[in-house]
Amino acid sequence: MSERTVVLFGDLAAKDEPVARAVRRAGVRPAGVRDVASFRSLLEREDLVAALFPAGMRGWEELCLELRTDQEYEDLPLIAVVDNPWDEALRRLFMFSIDDFIARAAVDQLAPKLVAVAAGNPYADMMHFTGRVIVADPDPGRRAL
């Protein structure tokens, strides 16, 4: 299997950061970016496994909207790193369609998640059903999510 990559935003990419160490323990290569604009250059890579970002990161809403409205990356797992797993901010994070979160104090739980995600889509061979879903909301961003 070719080397897989997890994008780490901001301070999560520091070599001594526990999140970056957990990514390496999972056998996945961390790629650090400072902001959402820098992340766009990585979107052309075919080995992306997930994107992890600090819950307080500036521009995370833009990141979620951009990825969830792009058919090629709408399924890329977005994982928020929070200081407190009971933080009220998680409600807003999930409203913007993140897939999961990890508490900084429980970073040891990250490696098994990344191993599972890097293994690929277990539902890829299932038959896809076609149909229509109508989502009504006056806000275009919320409709996209």
Side-chain angles (χ1 to χ4, degrees):
M1 176 165 92
S2 66
E3 189 171 37
R4 307 298 304 265
T5 302
V6 168
V7 178
L8 300 177
F9 282 89
D11 64 341
L12 298 180
K15 290 196 183 299
D16 61 340
E17 167 66 38
V19 173
R21 289 196 311 261
V23 168
R24 286 191 292 277
R25 272 195 312 273
V28 184
R29 186 176 68 82
V33 294
R34 285 278 149 221
D35 51 30
V36 175
S38 306
F39 175 62
R40 289 185 184 101
S41 65
L42 290 176
L43 283 177
E44 297 177 9
R45 297 182 64 109
E46 294 183 13
D47 64 347
L48 290 183
V49 171
L52 279 83
F53 63 94
M57 181 183 88
R58 244 180 133 80
W60 66 262
E61 297 97 335
E62 177 187 345
L63 169 72
C64 293
L65 280 173
E66 186 172 329
L67 290 174
R68 295 306 184 232
T69 56
D70 186 328
Q71 283 187 334
E72 194 167 344
Y73 303 103
E74 66 187 0
D75 293 333
L76 182 69
L78 297 175
I79 302 171
V81 178
V82 297
D83 291 326
N84 176 4
W86 302 107
D87 192 335
E88 276 296 312
L90 281 171
R91 181 179 309 201
R92 184 161 168 79
L93 287 162
F94 278 109
M95 185 180 85
F96 272 85
S97 197
I98 67 163
D99 296 290
D100 204 352
F101 71 95
I102 191 81
R104 284 188 189 269
V107 77
D108 56 318
Q109 296 174 0
L110 180 60
K113 290 180 185 195
L114 293 178
V115 168
V117 170
N121 182 1
Y123 305 108
D125 295 331
M126 287 182 65
M127 182 174 20
H128 296 279
F129 298 100
T130 59
R132 289 191 180 189
V133 174
I134 298 173
V135 177
D137 193 294
D139 179 67
R142 287 181 56 109
R143 280 196 306 272
L145 290 174

